[in-house]
């Protein structure tokens, strides 16, 4: 039974890929526990396994061995449909390239996960507007995604990630496509999310971003090289 | 009564002699509207007519200008017609026995078949046919052309179906990243499939409507062009509700089917596989 403060717990996590008959180990027996309210940055050079780690923690891929428990649920016990639903209600994803649906407006993009979750239209519209206000984009609610700047798109993407009040926010290089000033605004937004109690895991190359996180996990060759707080 | 159309057998030379006020005692003729329009002939004008270039001309007064019935068999030949009283025509040609075709109108209620049978019973030296029989015999060419058009239509439908399938596959492939993101953030496979299906339905519906509008415009332009070119009221292209319904149904079935096939193919992959291939 998982401790009540534990959001995610990975044990002996390993992942191998077969590439042209060769087996490549992306993760080699990683243990990681993330508590509620933690702001954690996963750092490491390319090929260190940090993206694979994020995919496994997010239930996007299955480990070759080991377990991932999210809010006490072993992700391996869920079938595809259940896992999809679990991602919808429990995890908020923020991508490097924002990946908003271009045909939808900002508010519709934020509404989308809530519509899938079956929330009534009035409720989800109110929540979407509230979230857009939270990320400072209330005035851009009716603009299509293509009419927004990179920073604005990433803020809408963060609002979308928060839509179903997830237990965990997973962000993959959230400032990677932004200039320094705009990236700084996104980092401030993550800081605010953290202060408001969100559990955040960010995969990044950005040392500035990592420095703002309360905990830094450095990966090397598919293993955790260091795990520091502060 | 005027009888027609002997003129197809004989070339006539005609010349406008006087505008109105001709000799009222000369036999009257009826001039086809196209000819009258082209030469500026009006009712009451007198024209000189000769059966041959070197032959003696005779004057006739234009008693009527008529618009001939549109006939696909003759429309493209560009022939112009003048109608004579039968006796006058025979007199003009000097060879009454050379009249090779006479059109006879029957009164309402009298069947063309029985009228033709009766004429054949009592007539001598010629044979009567109901107009439907003649139309059927003369329209064999059109039947062949019509079947040729059907074959072209069938090939066009097959080709457009393949084209549509390819377009839909490409359009859905273009949405691979969107599909990956939607699946990653927790949208069910069914939801994404339905979204793509809805998009395919909208595309097919808009395509069908645009296609019908384009076809209508094409028929209008085709008719305008050929009716003007051949000075006829014949309809050269006809867009019927049946054709529109068939085309719309085909477009929807093919479009939705192709969209569903492409979406199902795409969504067979895991979100991460979609993401990596995007």
């Amino acid at each position: 039974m998982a401790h009540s403060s534990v959001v995610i717990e990975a044990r002996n996590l390993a992942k191998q890929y077969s590439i042209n008959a060769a087996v490549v180990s992306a993760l080699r027996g990683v243990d990681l526990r993330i508590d509620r309210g933690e702001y954690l940055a996963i750092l490491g050079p390319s090929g260190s396994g940090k993206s694979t780690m994020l995919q496994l923690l997010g239930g996007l891929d299955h480990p070759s061995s080991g377990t991932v428990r999210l809010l006490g649920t072993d992700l391996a016990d869920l079938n595809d449909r259940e896992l999809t639903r679990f991602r919808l209600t429990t995890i908020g994803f923020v991508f490097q390239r924002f990946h908003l649906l271009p045909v939808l407006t900002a508010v519709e993009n934020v509404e989308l996960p809530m519509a899938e979750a079956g929330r009534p239209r009035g409720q989800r519209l109110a929540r979407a507007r509230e979230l857009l206000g939270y990320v400072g984009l209330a005035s851009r609610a009716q603009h299509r995604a293509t009419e927004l700047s990179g920073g604005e798109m990433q803020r809408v993407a963060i609002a979308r990630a928060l839509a179903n009040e997830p237990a965990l926010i997973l962000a993959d290089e959230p400032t990677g496509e932004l200039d320094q000033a705009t990236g700084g605004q996104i980092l401030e937004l993550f800081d605010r999310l953290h202060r408001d109690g969100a559990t955040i895991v960010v995969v990044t190359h950005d040392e500035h971003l990592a420095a703002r996180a309360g905990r830094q996990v450095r990966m090397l060759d598919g293993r955790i090289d260091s795990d520091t707080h502060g | 009564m005027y009888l027609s159309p002997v003129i197809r057998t004989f070339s006539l030379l005609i010349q406008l002699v006087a505008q109105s006020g001709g000799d009222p005692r000369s036999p009257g003729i009826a001039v086809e509207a196209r000819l009258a329009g082209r030469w500026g002939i009006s009712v009451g004008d007198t024209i000189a007519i000769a059966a041959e270039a070197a032959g003696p001309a005779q004057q006739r007064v234009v008693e009527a200008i008529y618009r001939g019935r549109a006939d696909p068999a003759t429309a493209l030949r560009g022939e112009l017609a003048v109608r004579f009283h039968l006796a006058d025509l025979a007199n003009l040609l000097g060879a009454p026995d050379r009249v090779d075709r006479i059109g006879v109108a029957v009164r309402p209620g009298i069947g063309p078949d029985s009228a033709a049978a009766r004429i054949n019973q009592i007539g001598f030296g010629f044979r009567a046919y109901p107009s439907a029989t003649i139309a059927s015999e003369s329209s064999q060419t059109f039947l062949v052309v019509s079947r040729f058009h059907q074959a072209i239509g069938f090939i066009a439908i097959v080709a457009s179906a393949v084209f549509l399938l390819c377009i839909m596959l490409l359009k859905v492939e273009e949405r691979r990243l969107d599909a990956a993101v939607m699946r990653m953030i927790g949208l069910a496979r069914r939801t994404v499939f339905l979204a793509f299906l809805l998009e395919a339905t909208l595309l097919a519906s808009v395509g069908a409507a645009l296609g019908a509008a384009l076809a209508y415009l094409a028929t209008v332009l085709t008719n305008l062009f050929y009716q003007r070119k051949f000075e006829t009221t014949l309809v050269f292209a006809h867009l019927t509700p049946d054709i529109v319904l068939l085309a719309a149904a085909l477009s929807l079935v093919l479009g939705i089917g192709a969209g569903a096939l492409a979406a199902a193919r795409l969504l067979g992959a895991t979100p991460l596989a979609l993401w990596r291939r995007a």
Side-chain angles (χ1 to χ4, degrees):
Chain A
M1 173 102 183
H3 191 275
S4 61
S5 71
V6 176
V7 173
I8 199 156
E9 189 168 29
R11 282 192 182 165
N12 198 26
L13 211 53
K15 180 70 183 178
Q16 279 112 33
Y17 296 104
S18 295
I19 302 173
N20 298 331
V23 176
V24 177
S25 289
L27 282 184
R28 304 161 190 261
V30 171
D31 293 311
L32 183 69
R33 184 182 125 157
I34 302 167
D35 289 335
R36 194 177 303 278
E38 270 198 295
Y39 183 4
L40 181 148
I42 300 177
L43 295 111
S46 295
S48 60
K50 57 186 188 303
S51 291
T52 303
M53 183 76 172
L54 193 80
Q55 288 157 9
L56 294 179
L57 296 181
L60 295 171
D61 205 356
H62 298 287
S64 304
S65 64
T67 58
V68 177
R69 299 182 80 85
L70 184 53
L71 298 180
T73 302
D74 187 343
L75 298 188
D77 292 340
L78 305 177
N79 63 27
D80 181 65
R81 186 176 293 183
E82 291 165 338
L83 195 56
T84 302
R85 188 76 186 174
F86 200 69
R87 281 200 303 271
L88 177 72
T89 55
T90 314
I91 305 171
F93 286 94
V94 178
F95 304 99
Q96 182 175 354
R97 291 183 182 173
F98 335 123
H99 296 308
L100 301 178
L101 294 186
V103 293
L104 302 183
T105 61
V107 73
E108 287 166 344
N109 266 289
V110 180
E111 272 188 79
L112 187 63
M114 291 186 275
E116 180 69 3
R119 277 210 203 184
R121 179 161 170 68
Q123 266 186 36
R124 66 180 193 244
L125 188 62
R127 167 96 178 135
R129 289 188 183 284
E130 178 194 332
L131 286 169
L132 285 174
Y134 182 82
V135 299
L137 284 178
S139 61
R140 307 284 274 164
Q142 296 305 328
H143 286 75
R144 291 199 184 282
T146 48
E147 296 168 347
L148 302 175
S149 68
E152 287 173 332
M153 280 196 272
Q154 192 60 299
R155 281 190 276 165
V156 174
I158 291 170
R160 180 179 65 181
L162 296 170
N164 285 327
E165 298 165 76
L168 176 67
I169 294 169
L170 294 179
D172 185 9
E173 298 281 7
T175 58
E177 292 283 316
L178 304 174
D179 60 55
Q180 199 170 359
T182 315
Q185 292 169 6
I186 297 300
L187 296 187
E188 281 168 20
L189 187 53
F190 273 108
D191 289 346
R192 184 144 61 98
L193 278 173
H194 175 52
R195 284 197 302 274
D196 291 343
T199 308
I200 306 168
V201 177
V202 182
V203 164
T204 184
H205 283 99
D206 186 347
E207 290 288 346
H208 294 290
L209 195 163
R212 297 172 83 132
R215 181 179 170 194
Q216 295 89 34
V217 171
R218 291 180 189 275
M219 297 195 67
L220 192 66
D221 295 333
R223 292 194 176 90
I224 292 179
D225 190 45
S226 68
D227 185 348
T228 56
H229 293 256
Chain B
M1 184 179 82
Y2 295 102
L3 293 169
S4 67
V6 179
I7 293 171
R8 278 202 294 137
T9 313
F10 304 95
S11 297
L12 288 174
L13 298 169
I14 64 176
Q15 180 186 14
L16 184 60
V17 173
Q19 300 265 310
S20 305
D23 182 357
R25 289 166 301 172
S26 65
I29 58 170
V31 176
E32 191 190 344
R34 289 185 300 166
L35 176 60
R38 224 176 266 184
W39 287 22
I41 296 170
S42 308
V43 171
D45 289 350
T46 300
I47 58 177
I49 293 179
E52 295 169 8
Q58 297 181 26
Q59 292 193 350
R60 297 288 182 272
V61 174
V62 177
E63 286 184 337
I65 291 172
Y66 72 96
R67 194 167 292 280
R69 284 180 62 185
D71 181 0
T74 59
L76 307 189
R77 291 183 194 150
E79 291 174 344
L80 301 169
V82 176
R83 290 183 179 177
F84 294 81
H85 292 285
L86 185 58
D88 184 31
L89 180 64
N91 175 42
L92 178 72
L93 296 173
D97 57 342
R98 287 181 61 187
V99 171
D100 65 356
R101 197 146 60 117
I102 299 170
V104 177
V106 293
R107 286 205 176 98
I110 297 174
D113 291 333
S114 59
R118 179 73 181 138
I119 291 169
N120 287 333
Q121 209 172 29
I122 61 174
F124 176 72
F126 56 85
R127 182 153 188 84
Y129 298 94
S131 56
T133 306
I134 295 171
S136 170
E137 285 175 5
S138 63
S139 63
Q140 289 304 311
T141 308
F142 293 101
L143 282 176
V144 172
V145 171
S146 176
R147 283 177 193 145
F148 181 62
H149 284 165
Q150 282 177 354
I152 291 175
F154 179 75
I155 292 167
I157 286 171
V158 171
S160 59
V162 173
F163 182 71
L164 192 60
L165 182 63
C166 294
I167 290 286
M168 279 295 179
L169 282 171
L170 285 174
K171 291 297 284 181
V172 173
E173 281 297 315
E174 277 178 13
R175 308 293 305 281
R176 183 184 286 277
L177 187 60
D178 287 342
V181 170
M182 284 192 277
R183 296 280 290 120
M184 279 181 169
I185 65 172
L187 269 65
R189 191 173 268 130
R190 183 171 173 274
T191 306
V192 182
F193 178 81
L194 288 176
F196 283 154
L197 201 62
L198 179 66
E199 202 172 313
T201 307
L202 284 175
L203 271 176
S205 304
V206 170
L210 282 177
L214 194 65
Y216 177 73
L217 186 67
T219 58
V220 168
L221 292 177
T222 302
N223 287 329
L224 271 177
F225 177 76
Y226 285 110
Q227 284 171 350
R228 185 164 294 184
K229 180 178 172 69
F230 296 115
E231 294 179 273
T232 178
T233 55
L234 278 176
V235 176
F236 290 82
H238 196 196
L239 187 66
T240 65
D242 284 352
I243 293 173
V244 173
L245 281 176
L246 176 69
L250 271 173
S251 170
L252 283 173
V253 169
L254 289 173
I256 294 170
L261 191 70
R265 183 172 162 271
L266 189 69
L267 292 170
T270 64
L272 203 57
L274 286 174
W275 175 268
R276 284 175 182 150
R277 278 188 269 148

